Amino acid sequence: MPDSPLVAVVDSYGLSKVLVDEFRKRGTSVVRVQSTPEVPAAYRGPFDLSDYVANIVHQGDLTATVAAVAAHSPTAVVAGGEIGVELADALSEALGLPTNGTALSTARRDKYVMIETIKQAGVTGARQRLVRTGQDVREWHRSVGGRIVVKPLRSAAGDGIAFCDSPDESAAAVARIVGSENVFSMPNTAAVAQEYLRGTEYMVNTVSRDGRHRVCEIWRTTRITANGVADLSDTVYLMPRHGRVQEQLTAYAGQVLDALGIRHGPAHVEIKLTNSGPVLVEAGARIGGANLPHYAQIARGQSQLDWTVEAYLRPEHFLAHHRDDDPLALHCAFVGLVSPYAGTLRAYRGLDALRDLESFHEMRVAVAPGGHIRRTVDDLSYPAVVVLMHESEETVLRDANTIRYLDGPSFYDVEPVTTHDTAGDRR
């Protein structure tokens, strides 16, 4: 064994590097494992490997990859993001490390199998159908009626999700999805059609050790109808740790984790709180996205990042303290700007007004002036994001509403302004 602990992180890309940084802050060395020979298109570009003691690229031979990882004597194997979940399960199982195992790996990645699996375990889940053709989904939509949701089986970040009010819309959505590539550059061979769940959507970020679960943070989402998307997520709010709604969500999330066999490590559970109770949207056996655990760490003094490290490096401490309250209690919101245009961005009109908001904490600009901006249709197409943080919840709510008031057609100087953006219409 090495003098200091070492963990293997599978598919650390983009913002998921924050988990690697958290391990390294605790004096832990990290081996990076890449689950695919080619980097998915969404993550291509230069990235720094200097923080890793090795970079192992999985070429499809599990035995060879197990041997390469075993040579570093890791304490744990952790999924860095959604695409790495199944390989992390296989490696941790083969190496005899804390593992969720491979028996339910598919249920933790395939959105159709996921919902069927929790329902078989007695957990409430949505009505759904696996579909491959327009005729498949038309027949099912007619039988269900109303609005349905069509989405890829193995994607993320809102990629390809469509809210459909007619069988023809559903058929068109399936035609767009099947045969195309998802956000991870993998082919979509089928889609899942699900009943539309009405209610507020929450994101519950957890960490588990030996089947004991810690709810690290709960985020409440708000949604708008924009750019042809009926249910576009625009803002998420960090909720207080305790409350009637939080207890409902905590209990249900625990049932989902148990049904999916998530006994170790981080998870991200998306839940709609309907009139009949909580219902799963989807779950991932990895840290929450959009860097939300990082902001929760600032607002609350600890987050899913800290608890993931504790679960793997200090399991006894995790089990003894996983029900403790957070040390801080600031309020936080993550507000996405919603571009109505596609074209070349000349300038934003009013960024300074956003920076002057009382609870302003940080701004992340994804599209700078001179770059190509597209209509916002999913989590990957916000041109910029504003993070708010304050001791007063009312101040955060007021400033989030002010951002939505300022953000609109006049906020963007775009040339040429178009009414249709092919690259931005994946919904």
Side-chain angles (χ1 to χ4, degrees), residues 164-180:
C164 306
D165 292 317
S166 72
D168 286 344
E169 289 181 7
S170 298
V174 171
R176 284 195 302 271
I177 293 170
V178 176
S180 66

PDB file of all heavy atoms in Angstrom, residues 164-180:
ATOM      1  N   CYS A 164     -43.974  16.614 -24.820  1.00  0.00           N
ATOM      2  CA  CYS A 164     -44.816  16.438 -26.002  1.00  0.00           C
ATOM      3  C   CYS A 164     -46.299  16.419 -25.630  1.00  0.00           C
ATOM      4  O   CYS A 164     -46.718  15.648 -24.759  1.00  0.00           O
ATOM      5  CB  CYS A 164     -44.447  15.133 -26.706  1.00  0.00           C
ATOM      6  SG  CYS A 164     -42.688  15.002 -27.115  1.00  0.00           S
ATOM      7  N   ASP A 165     -47.078  17.244 -26.319  1.00  0.00           N
ATOM      8  CA  ASP A 165     -48.508  17.347 -26.039  1.00  0.00           C
ATOM      9  C   ASP A 165     -49.381  16.593 -27.032  1.00  0.00           C
ATOM     10  O   ASP A 165     -50.598  16.572 -26.878  1.00  0.00           O
ATOM     11  CB  ASP A 165     -48.919  18.825 -26.018  1.00  0.00           C
ATOM     12  CG  ASP A 165     -48.324  19.568 -24.828  1.00  0.00           C
ATOM     13  OD1 ASP A 165     -48.333  18.998 -23.722  1.00  0.00           O
ATOM     14  OD2 ASP A 165     -47.824  20.692 -24.998  1.00  0.00           O
ATOM     15  N   SER A 166     -48.775  15.988 -28.048  1.00  0.00           N
ATOM     16  CA  SER A 166     -49.546  15.220 -29.027  1.00  0.00           C
ATOM     17  C   SER A 166     -48.719  14.026 -29.498  1.00  0.00           C
ATOM     18  O   SER A 166     -47.481  14.047 -29.420  1.00  0.00           O
ATOM     19  CB  SER A 166     -49.906  16.096 -30.232  1.00  0.00           C
ATOM     20  OG  SER A 166     -48.751  16.353 -31.026  1.00  0.00           O
ATOM     21  N   PRO A 167     -49.376  12.983 -29.988  1.00  0.00           N
ATOM     22  CA  PRO A 167     -48.644  11.828 -30.522  1.00  0.00           C
ATOM     23  C   PRO A 167     -47.689  12.206 -31.653  1.00  0.00           C
ATOM     24  O   PRO A 167     -46.608  11.614 -31.775  1.00  0.00           O
ATOM     25  CB  PRO A 167     -49.763  10.903 -31.009  1.00  0.00           C
ATOM     26  CG  PRO A 167     -50.924  11.225 -30.120  1.00  0.00           C
ATOM     27  CD  PRO A 167     -50.842  12.704 -29.914  1.00  0.00           C
ATOM     28  N   ASP A 168     -48.057  13.187 -32.475  1.00  0.00           N
ATOM     29  CA  ASP A 168     -47.158  13.609 -33.551  1.00  0.00           C
ATOM     30  C   ASP A 168     -45.880  14.239 -32.992  1.00  0.00           C
ATOM     31  O   ASP A 168     -44.780  13.993 -33.512  1.00  0.00           O
ATOM     32  CB  ASP A 168     -47.866  14.604 -34.480  1.00  0.00           C
ATOM     33  CG  ASP A 168     -48.890  13.928 -35.383  1.00  0.00           C
ATOM     34  OD1 ASP A 168     -48.842  12.683 -35.504  1.00  0.00           O
ATOM     35  OD2 ASP A 168     -49.731  14.645 -35.960  1.00  0.00           O
ATOM     36  N   GLU A 169     -46.027  15.056 -31.950  1.00  0.00           N
ATOM     37  CA  GLU A 169     -44.833  15.634 -31.321  1.00  0.00           C
ATOM     38  C   GLU A 169     -43.958  14.535 -30.726  1.00  0.00           C
ATOM     39  O   GLU A 169     -42.719  14.595 -30.821  1.00  0.00           O
ATOM     40  CB  GLU A 169     -45.243  16.617 -30.228  1.00  0.00           C
ATOM     41  CG  GLU A 169     -45.847  17.911 -30.736  1.00  0.00           C
ATOM     42  CD  GLU A 169     -46.198  18.848 -29.590  1.00  0.00           C
ATOM     43  OE1 GLU A 169     -45.847  18.553 -28.425  1.00  0.00           O
ATOM     44  OE2 GLU A 169     -46.840  19.883 -29.853  1.00  0.00           O
ATOM     45  N   SER A 170     -44.560  13.544 -30.113  1.00  0.00           N
ATOM     46  CA  SER A 170     -43.797  12.446 -29.529  1.00  0.00           C
ATOM     47  C   SER A 170     -43.053  11.661 -30.606  1.00  0.00           C
ATOM     48  O   SER A 170     -41.888  11.287 -30.425  1.00  0.00           O
ATOM     49  CB  SER A 170     -44.726  11.501 -28.764  1.00  0.00           C
ATOM     50  OG  SER A 170     -45.357  12.168 -27.703  1.00  0.00           O
ATOM     51  N   ALA A 171     -43.724  11.408 -31.715  1.00  0.00           N
ATOM     52  CA  ALA A 171     -43.085  10.670 -32.809  1.00  0.00           C
ATOM     53  C   ALA A 171     -41.896  11.446 -33.363  1.00  0.00           C
ATOM     54  O   ALA A 171     -40.842  10.868 -33.673  1.00  0.00           O
ATOM     55  CB  ALA A 171     -44.101  10.389 -33.919  1.00  0.00           C
ATOM     56  N   ALA A 172     -42.052  12.758 -33.476  1.00  0.00           N
ATOM     57  CA  ALA A 172     -40.946  13.591 -33.967  1.00  0.00           C
ATOM     58  C   ALA A 172     -39.777  13.562 -32.991  1.00  0.00           C
ATOM     59  O   ALA A 172     -38.600  13.542 -33.399  1.00  0.00           O
ATOM     60  CB  ALA A 172     -41.425  15.020 -34.182  1.00  0.00           C
ATOM     61  N   ALA A 173     -40.070  13.550 -31.691  1.00  0.00           N
ATOM     62  CA  ALA A 173     -39.010  13.508 -30.678  1.00  0.00           C
ATOM     63  C   ALA A 173     -38.238  12.193 -30.761  1.00  0.00           C
ATOM     64  O   ALA A 173     -36.998  12.178 -30.688  1.00  0.00           O
ATOM     65  CB  ALA A 173     -39.606  13.681 -29.290  1.00  0.00           C
ATOM     66  N   VAL A 174     -38.950  11.091 -30.907  1.00  0.00           N
ATOM     67  CA  VAL A 174     -38.280   9.791 -31.031  1.00  0.00           C
ATOM     68  C   VAL A 174     -37.412   9.757 -32.289  1.00  0.00           C
ATOM     69  O   VAL A 174     -36.281   9.251 -32.269  1.00  0.00           O
ATOM     70  CB  VAL A 174     -39.312   8.649 -31.048  1.00  0.00           C
ATOM     71  CG1 VAL A 174     -38.646   7.319 -31.397  1.00  0.00           C
ATOM     72  CG2 VAL A 174     -40.000   8.548 -29.700  1.00  0.00           C
ATOM     73  N   ALA A 175     -37.906  10.323 -33.378  1.00  0.00           N
ATOM     74  CA  ALA A 175     -37.125  10.362 -34.621  1.00  0.00           C
ATOM     75  C   ALA A 175     -35.834  11.158 -34.441  1.00  0.00           C
ATOM     76  O   ALA A 175     -34.791  10.810 -35.020  1.00  0.00           O
ATOM     77  CB  ALA A 175     -37.973  10.955 -35.743  1.00  0.00           C
ATOM     78  N   ARG A 176     -35.900  12.236 -33.659  1.00  0.00           N
ATOM     79  CA  ARG A 176     -34.697  13.030 -33.402  1.00  0.00           C
ATOM     80  C   ARG A 176     -33.693  12.273 -32.551  1.00  0.00           C
ATOM     81  O   ARG A 176     -32.481  12.397 -32.735  1.00  0.00           O
ATOM     82  CB  ARG A 176     -35.049  14.355 -32.707  1.00  0.00           C
ATOM     83  CG  ARG A 176     -35.650  15.416 -33.601  1.00  0.00           C
ATOM     84  CD  ARG A 176     -35.609  16.787 -32.927  1.00  0.00           C
ATOM     85  NE  ARG A 176     -36.310  16.813 -31.650  1.00  0.00           N
ATOM     86  CZ  ARG A 176     -37.599  17.081 -31.498  1.00  0.00           C
ATOM     87  NH1 ARG A 176     -38.348  17.332 -32.570  1.00  0.00           N
ATOM     88  NH2 ARG A 176     -38.152  17.108 -30.301  1.00  0.00           N
ATOM     89  N   ILE A 177     -34.200  11.504 -31.586  1.00  0.00           N
ATOM     90  CA  ILE A 177     -33.315  10.843 -30.619  1.00  0.00           C
ATOM     91  C   ILE A 177     -32.684   9.583 -31.196  1.00  0.00           C
ATOM     92  O   ILE A 177     -31.451   9.421 -31.178  1.00  0.00           O
ATOM     93  CB  ILE A 177     -34.090  10.516 -29.333  1.00  0.00           C
ATOM     94  CG1 ILE A 177     -34.479  11.800 -28.604  1.00  0.00           C
ATOM     95  CG2 ILE A 177     -33.265   9.607 -28.419  1.00  0.00           C
ATOM     96  CD1 ILE A 177     -35.454  11.589 -27.453  1.00  0.00           C
ATOM     97  N   VAL A 178     -33.522   8.670 -31.681  1.00  0.00           N
ATOM     98  CA  VAL A 178     -33.021   7.366 -32.115  1.00  0.00           C
ATOM     99  C   VAL A 178     -32.147   7.539 -33.364  1.00  0.00           C
ATOM    100  O   VAL A 178     -32.542   8.138 -34.355  1.00  0.00           O
ATOM    101  CB  VAL A 178     -34.185   6.401 -32.393  1.00  0.00           C
ATOM    102  CG1 VAL A 178     -33.646   5.067 -32.937  1.00  0.00           C
ATOM    103  CG2 VAL A 178     -34.998   6.169 -31.128  1.00  0.00           C
ATOM    104  N   GLY A 179     -30.939   7.019 -33.273  1.00  0.00           N
ATOM    105  CA  GLY A 179     -29.983   7.147 -34.372  1.00  0.00           C
ATOM    106  C   GLY A 179     -29.015   8.301 -34.215  1.00  0.00           C
ATOM    107  O   GLY A 179     -27.998   8.367 -34.909  1.00  0.00           O
ATOM    108  N   SER A 180     -29.314   9.217 -33.295  1.00  0.00           N
ATOM    109  CA  SER A 180     -28.399  10.323 -33.034  1.00  0.00           C
ATOM    110  C   SER A 180     -27.440   9.942 -31.903  1.00  0.00           C
ATOM    111  O   SER A 180     -27.558   8.866 -31.307  1.00  0.00           O
ATOM    112  CB  SER A 180     -29.171  11.590 -32.657  1.00  0.00           C
ATOM    113  OG  SER A 180     -29.832  11.416 -31.414  1.00  0.00           O
TER     114      SER A 180
END
